[in-house]
Amino acid sequence: MDLEVVDTYLNKIPVQARELVQNLNTNEKWAVYAALLQNERMSFSELRDLFDMNPSQIDRILKSLVAGGIIYKRAKRLKDADDNARSYYELSMLGQHFYNAMFDLVIPPKRNAPPAYSTRSPEHRQVVTSPMNPASHVLGGSQHSRSSAIRGAAKPRLPTAVGA
């Protein structure tokens, strides 16, 4: 395999996107991510009890998700940051935006709505800059912006289980 060619293409994908996906490399990590999507904020013990994991297992998962920038570990006071009993976990902006982007990709838009990445005029309230900015060397580029009015819906929420 030609590593120069690999590097050429890898350099077109933001390193943050690659790291984010790499940090969601197990079903357990995806499940913890989904639990935080649904519950917004959870403590270490709530997550440990929910998944019936031993403390070292859930600790490894949480540390990986924090290191990947997907979630934050927060505490009300600085001195409580290292205390699992007094801290909690929540999605980072990256973690929420990642879910929103996945949602837009896999859930089809409403029938009458224009495509998510449209260049329609402002009067149609669906204006979105193309994710493929030719002026940028990175796919999506730093100029990528999305309208909050896309598909006319509020921020998507993680669906709850049917019959639960």
Side-chain angles (χ1 to χ4, degrees):
M1 180 173 278
D2 188 337
L3 295 180
E4 281 188 39
V5 173
V6 170
D7 284 343
T8 299
Y9 284 98
L10 282 179
N11 288 333
K12 295 180 183 290
I13 306 296
V15 68
Q16 297 89 339
R18 295 191 326 251
E19 288 175 354
L20 185 145
V21 173
Q22 289 171 348
N23 280 294
L24 286 168
N25 63 348
T26 67
N27 288 337
E28 292 82 6
K29 290 177 184 178
W30 275 102
V32 169
Y33 174 62
L36 289 169
L37 276 164
Q38 187 171 353
N39 296 296
E40 294 182 20
R41 176 184 293 178
M42 297 181 77
S43 69
F44 180 89
S45 59
E46 288 173 323
L47 288 161
R48 180 197 63 217
D49 295 347
L50 176 65
F51 292 104
D52 193 26
M53 286 187 185
N54 70 47
S56 63
Q57 283 178 301
I58 194 70
D59 189 53
R60 277 193 306 274
I61 290 169
L62 292 169
K63 283 181 178 177
S64 175
L65 295 176
V66 167
I70 301 164
I71 66 173
Y72 293 131
K73 182 177 183 180
R74 304 236 184 213
K76 289 183 182 179
R77 297 180 302 192
L78 184 59
K79 69 179 186 175
D80 296 335
D82 290 330
D83 183 354
N84 283 334
R86 295 180 184 227
S87 57
Y88 58 90
Y89 295 87
E90 64 184 17
L91 290 181
S92 66
M93 291 298 290
L94 177 63
Q96 183 62 53
H97 289 312
F98 179 65
Y99 174 74
N100 293 345
M102 287 190 314
F103 183 91
D104 287 345
L105 288 172
V106 298
I107 305 296
K110 295 177 185 173
R111 285 182 183 244
N112 296 334
Y117 295 104
S118 171
T119 55
R120 293 182 113 187
S121 60
E123 59 269 13
H124 289 97
R125 296 181 38 201
Q126 298 286 332
V127 177
V128 177
T129 304
S130 170
M132 301 288 284
N133 183 347
S136 173
H137 68 282
V138 175
L139 299 179
S142 60
Q143 301 298 317
H144 178 241
S145 64
R146 300 194 58 208
S147 167
S148 61
I150 292 175
R151 294 174 33 201
K155 233 192 293 189
R157 302 293 300 166
L158 186 67
T160 56
V162 176

